[in-house]
Amino acid sequence: MTVKKTRQVKPPPLSPLQAVLKVVRTLRASRYEALLAGGCVRDKLLGKVPKDYDVATNAVPDEVRKLFPRTLTIGAQFGVIVVLTGGRQIEVATFRSDTLYKDGRRPEKVVFTDDRHDAERRDFTINGMFYDPVSDKVIDYVGGKKDLQKKIIRAIGNADKRFAEDHLRMLRAIRFAARLDFKISRATWQAICEHAVKIQKISAERIAAEFEQILTDPNRTHGIQLISDSGLLRFIFPQIPTEQLKIGMSVIAQLPQRCSFALALTALLIDCSPKQADYTCRRLKSSNKLRQHVKWLHSHRRMILDAVPLTKGRLKLWLAKPLLEPLLQLNRSYLKATGQSDTKLRRLRRQINELGSEAIAPPRLLNGHDLIRLGATAGPMVGRLAEELYLAQLENEVKTKSEAQAWVKLWLDRHRIE
């Protein structure tokens, strides 16, 4: 008799809230303090569902590791342990105070402390609150609730000190101000303007990550204006003249609410040369995919409008391009920002609508081997013939294999005479 093995079904992951509450309860059961901290508290008070949750505790990293069977110790030197539970990753950070910051990014070492001192070393008041999910109580040592009500971004304590500790906080302040549509307090704004030059000390990857969040936010126009007004923009892109960036900013203001980082970045760099745009992407340590998208949008922007009106075949070739819609959005935004006529763009849209349900990229009727069998010479001739045949197919001049073969024979006869 054979015993049938039962397949174990993996349980579905817990929700982020369920996972974090499980972590909090485990810590509390061992008589440690455990509070929700940072952005999740801010979002809860704003009536938003937090994307993720962080826990702050008086348990030191070694004690946290002993309590949870699965952990990651990537940030243990800064008091952070990642707990793996219920299919989620929950950051558990020990209450700490930071010592000197020598590189404008991270402290030389940390000292474990209590929740009040932990709050005082954080960046902005709206991010410095704690929440006790057991007693449903907000713990606020820094005036975060008041600033949330007033819609203000304010550095905790001395703004100059906060930005000297981590220069990237200047961009973070602007990101929060733009995303939440808050104002930046006078002292915090003055400190950003005074320390703007120090953003050059921050790694390109960290700057690009903040920049992406600002440029892909629906309120990106406000964000990029703040970056410009503070002086940060000219230090982030020192190789681009201010006037070129101003044109880019005006184009950004015309983009649709939802757009990709590639589209928004191309819009900002729209008045630059292709070489400048590519250098900027490299300087930001952008991915190859992003660089390719920016390069394609930048180089094809004028090309498509110069080709209008398009033949049906050429139009279908453009429609098969995955970035065509962002390209049209880029052109629309540029024409509107610079006060130019969008007649060609509207004509192109009409041509697209007139296609109706026609197939955009049907399979080719003949491949390269077929063309060689019909008499084409291997090499450049095959490539040229294949392209022209496919255009004829897209124009509906040839619809079947036999029609395509007859068309190829005529093409070959004509080019032999030439």
Side-chain angles (χ1 to χ4, degrees), residues 3 48 51-52 55 81 84 93 99 113 147 151 175 177 183 249 275 282 301 311 316 347 362 364 372 407 410-411 417:
V3 179
K48 299 179 179 182
K51 291 181 181 178
D52 49 41
V55 174
I81 297 293
L84 308 176
T99 58
T113 182
D147 283 341
K151 298 187 174 183
R175 171 162 64 85
K183 291 182 179 180
M249 287 169 61
K275 189 175 180 180
R282 289 177 183 276
R301 180 176 65 83
T311 64
K316 287 179 178 179
R347 186 171 185 176
R364 293 175 183 264
I372 291 172
W407 188 96
L410 287 173
W411 190 94
I417 294 171

Side-chain angles (χ1 to χ4, degrees), residues 183-230:
K183 291 182 179 180
I184 299 176
S185 76
R186 181 178 296 180
T188 302
W189 178 252
Q190 287 175 344
I192 292 172
C193 297
E194 289 171 13
H195 293 272
V197 66
K198 294 177 182 176
I199 198 68
Q200 295 177 110
K201 297 180 180 179
I202 295 298
S203 70
E205 294 91 341
R206 295 184 76 212
I207 290 174
E210 288 293 327
F211 216 70
E212 179 173 359
Q213 291 191 68
I214 293 168
L215 286 189
T216 54
D217 190 89
N219 208 13
R220 68 183 69 83
T221 303
H222 182 41
I224 197 68
Q225 189 63 57
L226 288 174
I227 294 174
S228 177
D229 291 345
S230 65

Side-chain angles (χ1 to χ4, degrees), residues 7 45 56 80 108 116 130 145 147 168 181-182 206:
R7 189 177 177 183
L45 293 177
V80 180
E108 290 290 297
R116 178 185 288 276
F130 300 106
K145 284 179 73 174
D147 283 341
L168 193 69
D181 199 19
F182 281 17
R206 295 184 76 212

Side-chain angles (χ1 to χ4, degrees), residues 47-60:
K48 299 179 179 182
V49 177
K51 291 181 181 178
D52 49 41
Y53 295 84
D54 295 330
V55 174
T57 179
N58 62 343
V60 299

Side-chain angles (χ1 to χ4, degrees), residues 79-93:
V80 180
I81 297 293
V82 177
V83 173
L84 308 176
T85 184
R88 302 288 177 181
Q89 295 188 7
I90 305 296
E91 276 197 9
V92 179

Side-chain angles (χ1 to χ4, degrees), residues 288-316:
N288 287 335
K289 182 178 179 181
L290 179 65
R291 279 180 48 224
Q292 289 165 3
H293 284 190
V294 170
K295 184 177 181 179
W296 192 90
L297 290 169
H298 200 284
S299 61
H300 287 79
R301 180 176 65 83
R302 299 181 192 276
M303 196 182 295
I304 189 168
L305 289 185
D306 289 345
V308 174
L310 292 161
T311 64
K312 182 181 286 189
R314 293 288 178 191
L315 178 60
K316 287 179 178 179

Side-chain angles (χ1 to χ4, degrees), residues 210-376:
E210 288 293 327
F211 216 70
E212 179 173 359
Q213 291 191 68
I214 293 168
L215 286 189
T216 54
D217 190 89
N219 208 13
R220 68 183 69 83
T221 303
H222 182 41
I224 197 68
Q225 189 63 57
L226 288 174
I227 294 174
S228 177
D229 291 345
S230 65
L232 285 166
L233 194 62
R234 64 190 175 95
F235 294 119
I236 294 172
F237 301 117
Q239 75 283 6
I240 303 176
T242 303
E243 288 306 311
Q244 287 183 326
L245 290 173
K246 282 184 178 178
I247 292 172
M249 287 169 61
S250 68
V251 177
I252 280 178
Q254 302 299 331
L255 290 175
Q257 270 207 329
R258 299 179 71 85
C259 75
S260 67
F261 185 34
L263 174 55
L265 185 57
T266 308
L268 182 63
L269 304 175
I270 203 163
D271 202 46
C272 298
S273 68
K275 189 175 180 180
Q276 278 179 310
D278 188 60
Y279 173 76
T280 299
C281 289
R282 289 177 183 276
R283 196 168 180 274
L284 288 174
K285 303 291 178 66
S286 303
S287 66
N288 287 335
K289 182 178 179 181
L290 179 65
R291 279 180 48 224
Q292 289 165 3
H293 284 190
V294 170
K295 184 177 181 179
W296 192 90
L297 290 169
H298 200 284
S299 61
H300 287 79
R301 180 176 65 83
R302 299 181 192 276
M303 196 182 295
I304 189 168
L305 289 185
D306 289 345
V308 174
L310 292 161
T311 64
K312 182 181 286 189
R314 293 288 178 191
L315 178 60
K316 287 179 178 179
L317 286 177
W318 275 104
L319 285 170
K321 306 288 186 185
L323 293 176
L324 178 66
E325 189 55 37
L327 184 67
L328 298 181
Q329 292 171 347
L330 181 67
N331 272 307
R332 175 195 165 278
S333 301
Y334 178 78
L335 294 172
K336 194 170 181 180
T338 54
Q340 297 182 56
S341 169
D342 66 346
T343 302
K344 284 190 173 183
L345 195 58
R346 285 188 284 112
R347 186 171 185 176
L348 182 58
R349 287 288 190 187
R350 281 199 300 273
Q351 281 191 275
I352 293 171
N353 292 335
E354 286 166 4
L355 281 178
S357 58
E358 281 194 39
I360 301 303
R364 293 175 183 264
L365 293 169
L366 301 176
N367 59 34
H369 296 296
D370 296 328
L371 300 179
I372 291 172
R373 278 195 295 269
L374 289 168

